């Protein structure tokens, strides 16, 4: 069972890796830089939904580091950001029902909005001059809403694949998930 | 022994031959018209003949057309495949042609300037969306070092900020953390070009008393220790003077189209270039 879970983690990591590496080129192709449907946040939510706190933490740390390596920003910025997001989602999953689609949508929406807010704060704290226009906040709102709406669907797909690979998650039936 | 059966058969054949001879001889010298008996026979049998003939014809037509359709269908599928292949080939040739044109431009740049350069390919873009950098497919093993300037045929692209054995990260001049010491080519007024993470940069510290106009070309000054002197950077887009301000607000449009970066040239010289 543990081995199967490990396979699932590796698969999720590969999906996230592919997403992160392709994201820059896709965003450049589309031409919208701040519109950000963040699959990493969705995967962190999924791992927390699977009760894999450690796995989610390691995932957030490694993906943050990976983005740091490839981005032009200071090293550690995105690692810190994703760790903060992991903590926030973890706290949020205690307050909201992460097993319901509604709870998932709200958690992902708030996480994406928080990501934007934290990023702007960090950039100011680290004295990085970033020119931010009002359209960026609209992009954050749009990204949050889109991620929130798409999140439960993507989680559903992950859940199906995860069940196929690692078997059913404990408490699936009694808690009546995906309502 | 006399065989009655054989005798009868012989007579039947003789009678039949006789009838035939009578019929043939009756037609000789005639105009080929049917006699009444023949007409009756023809009238009775012709419809059957016609029916059989038309049936055969119809069958033949259906049969051959069906097979012809199958053949046409197969031929159509084959031709479609061929068209697809040719389209793909055409697209490949077009791509090669545009790559050739881009490389030709880079080669011209290489011939114009006398610096040792190394061509590299952009393989990744910044995944965060907040910073402007690209990853290229050449690294330390190819002689690259941090702070080496990166250009393309149109002008300055950026500088190397991180280098691994086979890859390097280029901070583009449009990134908000980038600063390039520049001069306005016509008036020789100096300033610092800063990125705004968009297709427009800002030229800071240009004095109010300077003579800078829209359309003026901005080139590298050679100061700052990274970029050699005289490389094209951009073109002045707007110049705004505010009363009481010491410096002008100048926006510059970079020469390079940063959304279409593919092949780049890394100038394989370090800081000394700045004083050339």
């Amino acid at each position: 069972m543990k081995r199967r879970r490990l396979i699932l983690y590796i698969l999720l990591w590969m999906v996230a890796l592919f997403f992160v590496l392709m994201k820059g080129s896709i965003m450049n192709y589309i031409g919208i830089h701040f519109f950000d449907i963040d699959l990493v946040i969705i995967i962190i939510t999924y791992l927390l939904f699977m009760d894999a706190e450690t796995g989610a933490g390691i995932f957030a740390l490694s993906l943050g580091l990976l983005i740091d390596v490839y981005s032009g920003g200071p090293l550690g910025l995105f690692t810190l950001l994703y760790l903060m997001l992991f903590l926030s989602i973890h706290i949020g999953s205690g307050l909201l029902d992460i097993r319901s689609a509604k709870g998932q949508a709200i958690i992902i929406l708030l996480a994406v909005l928080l990501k934007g807010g934290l990023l702007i704060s960090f950039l100011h704290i680290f004295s990085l001059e970033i020119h931010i226009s009002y359209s960026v906040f609209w992009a954050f709102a749009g990204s949050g809403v889109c991620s929130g709406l798409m999140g439960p669907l993507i989680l559903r797909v992950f859940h199906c694949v995860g069940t196929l690979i690692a078997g059913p998650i404990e408490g699936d039936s009694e808690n009546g998930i995906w309502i | 022994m006399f065989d009655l059966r054989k005798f009868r058969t012989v007579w039947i054949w003789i009678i039949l031959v006789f009838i035939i001879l009578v019929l043939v001889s009756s037609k000789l010298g005639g105009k080929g018209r049917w006699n009444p008996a023949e007409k009756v026979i023809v009238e009775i049998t012709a419809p059957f003949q016609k029916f059989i003939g038309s049936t055969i014809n119809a069958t033949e037509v259906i049969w051959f057309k069906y097979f012809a359709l199958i053949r046409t269908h197969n031929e159509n599928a084959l031709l479609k495949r061929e068209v697809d292949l040719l389209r793909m080939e055409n697209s490949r040739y077009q791509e090669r042609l545009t790559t050739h044109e881009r490389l030709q431009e880079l080669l011209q740049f290489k011939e114009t300037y006398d610096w040792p350069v190394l061509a590299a390919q952009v393989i990744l873009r910044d995944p965060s969306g907040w910073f402007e950098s690209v990853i290229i497919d050449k690294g330390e093993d190819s002689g690259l070092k941090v702070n080496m300037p990166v250009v393309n045929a149109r002008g300055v692209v950026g500088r190397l900020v991180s280098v691994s054995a086979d890859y390097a990260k280029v901070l583009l001049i449009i990134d908000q953390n980038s600063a390039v010491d520049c001069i306005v080519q016509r008036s020789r007024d100096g300033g610092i070009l800063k990125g705004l993470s968009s297709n427009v940069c800002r030229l800071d510290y240009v004095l109010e008393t300077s003579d800078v106009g829209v359309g003026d070309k901005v080139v590298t000054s050679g100061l700052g220790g990274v970029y050699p002197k005289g490389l094209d950077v951009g073109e002045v887009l707007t110049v705004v003077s505010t009363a009481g301000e010491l410096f002008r607000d100048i926006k510059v449009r970079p020469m390079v189209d940063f959304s279409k970066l593919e092949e780049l040239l890394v100038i394989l010289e370090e800081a000394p270039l700045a004083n050339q």
Side-chain angles (χ1 to χ4, degrees):
Chain A
M1 198 65 176
K2 271 188 177 175
R3 200 175 155 188
R4 284 179 150 204
R5 275 211 159 194
L6 190 68
I7 292 169
L8 179 63
Y9 292 157
I10 292 168
L11 186 76
L12 287 172
W13 210 89
M14 297 300 282
V15 170
L17 178 75
F18 181 75
F19 171 76
V20 165
L21 294 182
M22 288 290 102
K23 196 175 154 191
S25 304
I26 294 167
M27 279 162 81
N28 178 63
Y29 183 75
I30 299 168
I32 310 167
H33 283 255
F34 294 105
F35 186 76
D36 180 20
I37 293 170
D38 200 336
L39 193 66
V40 178
I41 288 176
I42 296 173
I43 294 177
I44 292 172
T45 313
Y46 173 64
L47 288 169
L48 284 171
F49 161 76
M50 282 176 68
D51 292 329
E53 286 94 352
T54 318
I58 293 169
F59 179 81
L61 181 88
S62 57
L63 261 294
L65 263 173
L66 183 82
I67 296 172
D68 269 332
V69 167
Y70 285 112
S71 104
L75 192 67
L77 179 73
F78 286 95
T79 313
L80 181 64
L81 180 75
Y82 277 103
L83 276 179
M84 297 280 278
L85 285 173
F86 157 69
L87 282 172
S88 311
I89 297 168
H90 195 24
I91 293 166
S93 64
L95 300 171
L96 293 160
D97 182 15
I98 201 171
R99 288 179 179 269
S100 72
K102 199 168 127 188
Q104 289 161 2
I106 294 168
I107 286 173
I108 292 166
L109 165 80
L110 292 175
V112 172
L113 293 177
L114 185 69
K115 181 189 169 189
L118 281 174
L119 200 50
I120 291 173
S121 311
F122 288 162
L123 291 173
H124 277 285
I125 291 165
F126 294 132
S127 304
L128 295 167
E129 282 181 36
I130 294 283
H131 174 79
I132 295 161
S133 62
Y134 282 110
S135 63
V136 172
F137 293 101
W138 284 112
F140 284 164
S143 310
V145 171
C146 286
S147 302
L149 290 173
M150 286 172 74
L153 291 171
I154 298 170
L155 283 174
R156 177 75 176 152
V157 173
F158 283 154
H159 180 66
C160 292
V161 176
T163 310
L164 274 174
I165 295 170
I169 300 163
E170 282 173 32
D172 249 19
S173 51
E174 56 221 55
N175 288 329
I177 63 160
W178 311 111
I179 296 165
Chain B
M1 284 291 284
F2 179 74
D3 188 350
L4 186 65
R5 248 186 353 194
K6 257 186 181 176
F7 177 76
R8 203 186 295 160
T9 311
V10 169
W11 272 107
I12 288 168
W13 277 109
I14 288 169
I15 289 163
L16 281 173
V17 170
F18 177 75
I19 290 167
I20 289 164
L21 283 173
V22 169
L23 283 171
V24 169
S25 63
S26 70
K27 286 280 169 188
L28 287 173
K31 292 178 183 173
R33 284 180 187 158
W34 283 324
N35 57 36
E38 283 174 324
K39 280 179 184 172
V40 171
I41 292 165
V42 165
E43 286 302 318
I44 293 165
T45 55
F48 290 105
Q49 180 90 6
K50 195 179 168 186
F51 173 74
I52 290 164
S54 59
T55 309
I56 287 168
N57 276 343
T59 313
E60 194 181 58
V61 166
I62 291 167
W63 189 254
F64 282 109
K65 279 203 174 172
Y66 173 73
F67 276 110
L69 271 178
I70 287 178
R71 208 169 45 240
T72 310
H73 175 77
N74 291 341
E75 205 173 43
N76 192 29
L78 198 78
L79 286 172
K80 272 184 180 169
R81 254 202 312 274
E82 261 177 43
V83 166
D84 285 346
L85 281 171
L86 287 170
R87 271 195 190 138
M88 276 164 66
E89 204 172 340
N90 189 34
S91 161
R92 261 204 311 273
Y93 282 130
Q94 288 285 343
E95 184 59 27
R96 275 184 195 169
L97 188 70
T98 49
T99 307
H100 175 77
E101 281 166 6
R102 284 198 311 270
L103 292 175
Q104 195 79 24
E105 281 179 11
L106 283 179
L107 201 65
Q108 274 169 11
F109 177 90
K110 201 176 165 181
E111 282 163 3
T112 310
Y113 296 92
D114 201 20
W115 303 306
V117 291
L118 179 78
Q121 189 93 25
V122 174
I123 53 164
L124 273 177
R125 285 186 166 267
D126 192 303
S128 69
W130 284 82
F131 301 98
E132 299 293 341
S133 65
V134 292
I135 307 289
I136 56 171
D137 65 346
K138 295 283 188 309
E140 268 171 350
D141 289 355
S142 308
L144 304 195
K145 285 175 185 163
V146 170
N147 271 341
M148 280 182 169
V150 182
V151 296
N152 74 2
R154 298 198 173 255
V156 176
V157 172
R159 66 185 169 93
L160 299 183
V161 286
S162 314
V163 184
S164 74
D166 295 307
Y167 302 98
K169 193 197 291 179
V170 182
L171 185 74
L172 307 181
I173 58 163
I174 54 168
D175 188 274
Q176 309 208 20
N177 298 309
S178 162
V180 184
D181 201 300
C182 296
I183 50 169
V184 177
Q185 199 174 45
R186 183 182 56 81
S187 66
R188 314 310 284 177
D189 291 304
I192 304 288
L193 187 94
K194 296 210 78 184
L196 295 171
S197 284
S198 65
N199 290 328
V200 177
C201 296
R202 199 177 63 211
L203 190 63
D204 285 344
Y205 312 119
V206 179
L207 291 170
E208 267 297 327
T209 52
S210 64
D211 174 28
V212 181
V214 174
D216 279 350
K217 197 185 256 188
V218 178
V219 295
T220 51
S221 67
L223 304 171
V226 177
Y227 300 98
K229 191 175 180 178
L231 285 173
D232 286 351
V233 175
E235 207 175 70
V236 174
L237 198 65
T238 58
V239 181
V240 179
S241 297
T242 316
E245 290 286 329
L246 191 61
F247 303 112
R248 286 184 158 187
D249 181 11
I250 298 172
K251 296 280 190 299
V252 175
R253 183 192 290 125
M255 290 289 187
V256 176
D257 184 354
F258 288 94
S259 64
K260 291 172 186 164
L261 285 180
E262 285 178 78
E263 290 92 11
L264 305 175
L265 287 177
V266 183
I267 299 177
L268 297 170
E269 288 282 344
E270 291 171 272
L273 266 177
N275 298 319
Q276 277 187 0

